[in-house]
Amino acid sequence: TVCSSKYVLSQMHPIWQTPLAVPGGDRQSPIDIAVRKTQWDRKLQPLEMRYDPRTCQQIWNNGYSFIVEYDDTSDRSTLKGGPLEDQFRLCQFHFHWGESNAWGSEHSVDRHLFPAELHLVHWNADKYSLFEEAVLEDNGLGVIGVFLKLGKRHEGLQKLVDALPAVRHKDSVVEFSRFDPACLLPENTEDYWTYAGSLTTPPLTEAVTWMVMKQPIEVSHDQLAVFRSLLFTSAEEEVQRSMVNNFRVQQPLAGRTVRSSFD
Ligand code: SG4
Ligand code: ZN
């Protein structure tokens, strides 16, 4: 099916056509979170996000998703706590979504897929000096995942949605400032799952501590429709392709434990 084949992705997206540095590892992402098999870890502290909206810089259509980029040259927008031992810096967030509301998220909960999933990407600035370095290392990245479910219009997201027509084509970039990423977090950030995984696109490195929020945020069908109006293709290409189904097929858990911060 369209929604679960890596081979579909490899035909559709240039990003998957470059030679893959697949580590062939046993901690790949995304995964299904089987709630009954998760383990409550009472020692998991709440996550501490301190985001400065003034570090927000631009939106970029990279031909696979749209990416909202933050200035990560200093500790102005940071994440620590939870399963993390170090302080991590926010560098960007992006989404994955489907062509229909029946799928689109990368992770799932008891096999339930959501129409979209937000990823807030942070890198370990205590241990590494550059994102490019952290990507290659164990404990280099911390990604917060937030599920999007269908519901009422999300006011915070709307400012971003309004800017998306300017980055319709691949390789387009537009200035975007003063966007507080905290407005995209659910009300309850105390309940989350965490596990050791990987990036979900090349280089697929096993550098990621995943923190997936239990509570989804609500967005409207119209807001998702604007995501789907973006294009994988550049303005020069003759055949334009809608940016949809930009998620990776789920990977085996392979003996890993998913911990929960809640009982
Ligand atoms: C998306 O393709 C983003 O566009 C990528 O961002 C991101 O790569 C990639 O997803 C993988 O991230 O949280 N889904 S994920 O594992 O963050 C990186 C860019 O290419 C390295 C800038
Ligand atoms: Zn992602």
Side-chain angles (χ1 to χ4, degrees), residues 60 62 64-65 67 92 94 96 106 119 121 131 143 198-201 210:
W60 170 43
N62 74 343
Y64 187 71
S65 184
I67 296 150
Q92 51 111 328
H94 62 268
H96 304 263
E106 295 209 300
H119 289 157
V121 181
F131 173 82
V143 183
S198 73
L199 289 174
T200 66
T201 66
W210 279 95

Side-chain angles (χ1 to χ4, degrees), residues 44-254:
L44 275 175
Q45 296 295 305
L47 295 165
E48 292 174 49
M49 303 83 166
R50 287 212 189 87
Y51 296 142
D52 178 352
R54 291 168 301 176
T55 59
C56 186
Q57 292 183 315
Q58 57 181 28
I59 314 176
W60 170 43
N61 177 335
N62 74 343
Y64 187 71
S65 184
F66 67 87
I67 296 150
V68 180
E69 296 183 312
Y70 285 77
D71 175 5
D72 61 358
T73 56
S74 67
D75 283 329
R76 288 200 289 158
S77 287
T78 59
L79 168 68
K80 61 181 187 174
L84 308 171
E85 284 174 9
D86 302 308
Q87 179 160 273
F88 287 61
R89 274 184 205 164
L90 177 71
C91 57
Q92 51 111 328
F93 69 79
H94 62 268
F95 299 81
H96 304 263
W97 61 91
E99 66 181 294
S100 97
N101 296 330
W103 64 78
S105 62
E106 295 209 300
H107 291 91
S108 56
V109 180
D110 288 338
R111 298 271 165 216
H112 175 80
L113 292 161
F114 291 81
E117 183 174 334
L118 160 67
H119 289 157
L120 295 140
V121 181
H122 311 74
W123 57 277
N124 187 338
D126 281 346
K127 293 246 160 57
Y128 308 106
S129 46
L130 287 173
F131 173 82
E132 287 74 13
E133 194 188 337
V135 159
L136 303 173
E137 305 292 338
D138 194 42
N139 198 25
L141 303 178
V143 183
I144 297 178
V146 180
F147 295 117
L148 278 61
K149 76 169 202 179
L150 215 57
K152 57 178 185 295
R153 188 174 115 127
H154 191 294
E155 290 310 324
L157 182 67
Q158 190 57 37
K159 182 187 165 197
L160 182 52
V161 165
D162 288 339
L164 290 182
V167 290
R168 186 151 181 258
H169 290 99
K170 178 178 190 274
D171 299 327
S172 44
V173 183
V174 67
E175 203 181 278
F176 193 62
S177 55
R178 296 182 172 270
F179 187 82
D180 185 359
C183 80
L184 299 176
L185 294 169
E187 241 169 84
N188 174 358
T189 56
E190 280 178 23
D191 296 353
Y192 60 87
W193 295 285
T194 183
Y195 76 97
S198 73
L199 289 174
T200 66
T201 66
L204 301 173
T205 43
E206 300 184 329
V208 183
T209 300
W210 279 95
M211 291 149 280
V212 179
M213 293 293 165
K214 180 188 176 207
Q215 187 180 64
I217 59 169
E218 279 187 23
V219 304
S220 69
H221 180 84
D222 290 357
Q223 291 180 314
L224 288 174
V226 178
F227 284 20
R228 296 182 186 122
S229 73
L230 296 173
L231 298 168
F232 282 137
T233 40
S234 65
E236 292 74 42
E237 286 174 73
E238 265 172 43
V239 183
Q240 296 292 332
R241 283 175 297 122
S242 299
M243 182 176 279
V244 292
N245 304 331
N246 54 356
F247 50 83
R248 185 187 192 197
V249 66
Q250 290 191 341
Q251 303 294 305
L253 191 57

Side-chain angles (χ1 to χ4, degrees), residues 24-42:
D26 48 14
R27 51 169 280 192
Q28 290 286 299
S29 294
I31 57 162
D32 174 56
I33 298 167
V35 174
R36 272 184 43 235
K37 291 185 188 154
T38 62
Q39 284 183 12
W40 178 36
D41 182 347
R42 60 177 72 232

